[in-house]
Amino acid sequence: MEELNVGTDVMGRIGGLASWFTVLLTIPGSLIAVKFNPKFSVPVVTICMAIGLFLFGRSTSIPMMYISRIIAASFSQLIATCLVGTKMRGVPPASMTQANGIENFVGPIGQTIATLVMAQFLILVGGWRNVYVTIAIVMISAAVIYFIVWGNGKKVNYGQEVQAQGGTTNQGPGTFAALKEAWSNRVVWLTSLAWPGTTIVWIAMFYFWPTYATTELGISLEQAGVVLSMIPVFSAIASLTSPILAKKIGYDKHLIWPWGLILPVCYYMLTVVTSIPLLCVFSAIAGYGAYCFVPLAFTNIYKLGMSQKAVTLGTGTILTFVAVGSAIAGTVVGGLTAVFGLRNALSISCLTPIWFGILTFFLPELGRKKMESLAAQKK
């Protein structure tokens, strides 16, 4: 902001507008992606996103920052949709929740590393521009490795295994038939419409809370990094432990909707508490709740007995609404900071998980006990 002489509202608009392009392009991109082998689609999408990040790091004007950020954001959610084919090829249904937990564990780990060491990383690589260039190079390297190792594991007949566990599936509808299949399921829509409720406040905190913490709460950037890093640390823990908890108790829904009531309190406390230990506690609880439901909600889509293409497009639909939350956090919350001030804008965003809790309360129970009951009825 200092280098380009802009405020938080402009930076919010850059991130928010890019997220709106994610909203517009995730489903069309998913329609294209389902036509290709994920061995090729995942690396191509990753490299395209890396190009956008590289260009962002080399931007010398606000228009170039918009363009490059849009390029990166347009491909950001497609990685997850392309991975659906890889998971359905190599992961049996009984292990899908754990696989989604591992996938969602990796993202918070990256966020944890970033928030913990960003101040030092900025110094190490010589500024914010080189941060983006370095990450772009790492992503391209990861895409190459993925292409080389893809397909080395055992192949699973996912459709047959779903049928054996009480579900139904058809193997190969056309692309638009698969989209209709996904969009005709209420679980897809309830999950999609609910998700922005948690995304808005999550993104708002990562975009704006460090500035608020250093200017209003009187803590250093390093301390703010430690506090904020508790969110992805405990999100990572949640991604690995919630599938275990759900399997143990036999129910998924109990670990999803209650967070709509708990998260608003935890996030709001981050705007009023000044004690570093207490900030870390509330940040940790918020982080756990922000991801406790993620592997469970994504796995629900796999339990509906839909075809692989429909699962991919259902996942793409959810991710589109995740991007809606990101876009609102950047544009709307960023705009609110100019009207009501940073603290009030963050406080308003803390209410959004209530919407998530209300909608997910109406999800059907698709946990272990329910699936075992369906399998028993099939016999």
Side-chain angles (χ1 to χ4, degrees), residues 135-314:
I135 296 304
I137 294 171
V138 171
M139 289 181 66
I140 292 172
S141 301
V144 173
I145 293 171
Y146 178 93
F147 180 80
I148 293 172
V149 303
W150 190 91
N152 290 343
K154 179 182 177 181
K155 186 175 181 180
V156 172
N157 191 322
Y158 196 90
Q160 288 184 2
E161 295 203 25
V162 168
Q163 289 179 318
Q165 292 191 15
T168 59
T169 184
N170 49 73
Q171 295 300 315
T175 300
F176 286 98
L179 183 63
K180 181 180 179 181
E181 181 185 355
W183 283 6
S184 64
N185 196 293
R186 73 185 182 96
V187 174
V188 172
W189 283 111
L190 279 173
T191 306
S192 298
L193 293 171
W195 212 295
T198 61
T199 307
I200 290 170
V201 64
W202 166 281
I203 296 296
M205 287 296 171
F206 271 90
Y207 275 14
F208 305 116
W209 187 84
T211 300
Y212 174 78
T214 54
T215 59
E216 302 293 333
L217 297 181
I219 65 178
S220 68
L221 185 61
E222 289 77 9
Q223 290 172 322
V226 171
V227 171
L228 199 60
S229 71
M230 292 298 103
I231 292 180
V233 164
F234 280 84
S235 292
I237 294 172
S239 295
L240 292 182
T241 58
S242 66
I244 298 172
L245 288 173
K247 186 174 183 180
K248 186 175 181 63
I249 67 176
Y251 298 98
D252 289 0
K253 191 174 171 180
H254 298 350
L255 297 173
I256 298 176
W257 74 266
W259 290 108
L261 304 178
I262 300 169
L263 287 174
V265 176
C266 295
Y267 279 122
Y268 179 73
M269 295 306 292
L270 293 180
T271 69
V272 296
V273 172
T274 57
S275 166
I276 300 299
L278 282 177
L279 284 170
C280 288
V281 169
F282 287 115
S283 181
I285 298 172
Y288 194 90
Y291 261 70
C292 181
F293 67 89
V294 172
L296 307 177
F298 272 124
T299 306
N300 278 346
I301 307 302
Y302 293 81
K303 294 178 179 179
L304 301 174
M306 297 189 298
S307 63
Q308 177 179 319
K309 288 182 180 179
V311 173
T312 300
L313 295 171

